[in-house]
Structure formats: C-alpha cells, structure tokens
Amino acid sequence: MNVRRATHDDYEDVAAFTADTWPDRDGDDYISRIYHDWIDRDRTATFVVSVEQSSTSSRTESDDDVDDVAGICQAVQLSPHEGWAQGMRVNPDYRGRGVSPELSEAVFEWLRDQGATVCRNMVFSWNQAGLGQSRAVGFEPATEFRWMTPEPDPAAEAELSVRNDPDAAWSCFHRSDANRRLQGLALDLDETYAVAELTRERLHRAAAEERVFAVGDGDTRAMTFRTRTSSYGDDETYAEYGVASWTDLGALRSLVAAVARDAADQGATETRVFIPETVRHVSDAARVRAGFSDEPDFVLETDLTGGS
C-alpha cells in the first residue's frame, strides 16, 4: 500500500467505489460530483491509498503497472490551529486491511505541518462503520447537532427587531447554553459542512460578506448568521446558517421568521440551521413548527499536539 496525494487520473477508480457508498440509504455520495474541484482547492490536501494490482490474486500480468485506489480522505486547514478531515471512504475490496489508519495519519501529519493543533470530523449518527472507524484512529467525541429547517417564506415577519450586529450576536452566543453544548463550534464560512470555533472576528466577517441576525428589543435574545447559499442540481437551493441560539420561544419565533424571510430573499428552496442536539433545542424547534432533520450528526476531534 502506498499513501500519496490524489490526482485527476484517480477519478475513475474513486468514482467506481463511491458510487454506492450507503446502499441502504437514500441519496448518492457527493465525492464523484466534486472530485476534480476538490483536489485543486487551496488549503487542502487530498490523499489516496493505492495498491499495485499485481499484488492481488485476481490480476493478470498485463495489469502489473496499474494501481487500484483503496481509499481516499481529504484534510482541510480551517484556521491557523484548526484542521478538518472529510470524505473518508474505503474501497470495499480493501476493507479490513488498515486503509483508514494510513489515510488518517497522512491527514494528521499534513495538518500538523500547517500548524494545526486539533483536527475534527463529522459523522452521520446512523453511520456505525464511520463512527467506529473514527474512534479507532484517534478521534474522540466532541459534540452533536441537528439541522433546524424553517421553510423559506417571503412574507414571514419577526415580531422582535432583527439587526445585522455581530457584536450583539457574539455576546448572545457567548453566554448561551448552545455555546456550551456545541463546545463553541459553528459552521465554517469557507468549507461546506465543516465546523470551527466561532469567534467575534468570524461574525464580523459574516456580517460583511453574508448576514448576521441579532434578535431582540433591548437585550439580544437570539442570534444566527448566514454562511452560504448553495445550489444542488436544478431545483434545490439551500440557505445555511452557522449556529442558532435563543433564550426563549418568543425570541426563537422571531429568529425563525427572520431566517425564513432571508432564505426566500436568497432564492433558497430549503434551509439548514445548525443547532445543538438537546431536548430543549429540538423540542423548541418543534414547538414553533420550525422543522428539523430526522437524525442528529456527530462531531469528533483529535489532539494533534502530541505528534504521531
């Protein structure tokens, strides 16, 4: 087995073994759709494990100079000290042969070289193999979250005032139970589906580039911020919001109305709002009929300061 940087020539192999990643779940794997753009991006390193075909009994002599791709994973530098691991996939033909640890160590080593002291990843709560794999290579539990999904509505009206005020939003989040439950994490502004530590500086950037929502007449009682609006296919556009916190149901109703109207203004057909996976937060979303995803997702992390 040889761990190396992925190339465009690896596309066919990767697309083949990721075509049916989760056969018992609806939806396809995103990697084949974004592969070429994925490996050319800045602040990332995409690794594959290649295996000489001649080392397997099913190969012929004519195939000696051709490699199989046994697995793939990408490392992303989110901030000077935060790394992200994503897209870990192992070719079913090579499961149980140590592919995941080889890829993980390559990711960790590259992130250490960039100065990162922590690496995180995200795993669907139903993905038993992915969770076990993550724990086996050194990831530990960090937090869990769910998507709140208010329906875009151009006529939605918030009863409380809504301001694009990053400092007020930061103070609201900083003192919230959402901050404590999520370990201070929120969706990253650059990397889709990645989470990073929310800072005042990131909220100021969101206010300038997207939008921040500080909700309340007088005291700020709820907050969120838009991270991006992304299109998937011909008829799905998601408006995504980095994290939401609120003190009471009235504040949440106004926050949901602000998100619903903003998403409609962005031309979105659906929304995703990052919220803690707690009984209070999820039942509050149910109480105001905001909608939420069927299952939570897990975030795990590993300390990179100890070396390999």
Side-chain angles (χ1 to χ4, degrees), residues 56-115:
T56 64
S57 60
S58 61
R59 309 303 181 186
T60 66
E61 291 183 2
S62 62
D63 291 327
D64 282 354
D65 60 345
V66 182
D67 290 347
D68 263 350
V69 174
I72 186 171
C73 190
Q74 184 178 73
V76 186
Q77 185 181 15
L78 300 180
S79 75
H81 72 282
E82 294 172 281
W84 185 253
Q86 62 185 6
M88 174 69 78
R89 304 288 188 270
V90 176
N91 187 329
D93 291 342
Y94 296 96
R95 287 175 184 165
R97 295 178 57 179
V99 174
S100 176
E102 294 281 353
L103 287 168
S104 297
E105 188 49 47
V107 165
F108 297 160
E109 182 178 355
W110 183 85
L111 288 171
R112 288 190 193 101
D113 289 344
Q114 313 312 304

Side-chain angles (χ1 to χ4, degrees), residues 235-255:
D235 56 0
E236 289 185 342
T237 300
Y238 284 89
E240 297 178 344
Y241 300 83
V243 69
S245 69
W246 59 89
T247 60
D248 57 88
L249 287 173
L252 176 58
R253 286 191 180 94
S254 285
L255 182 67

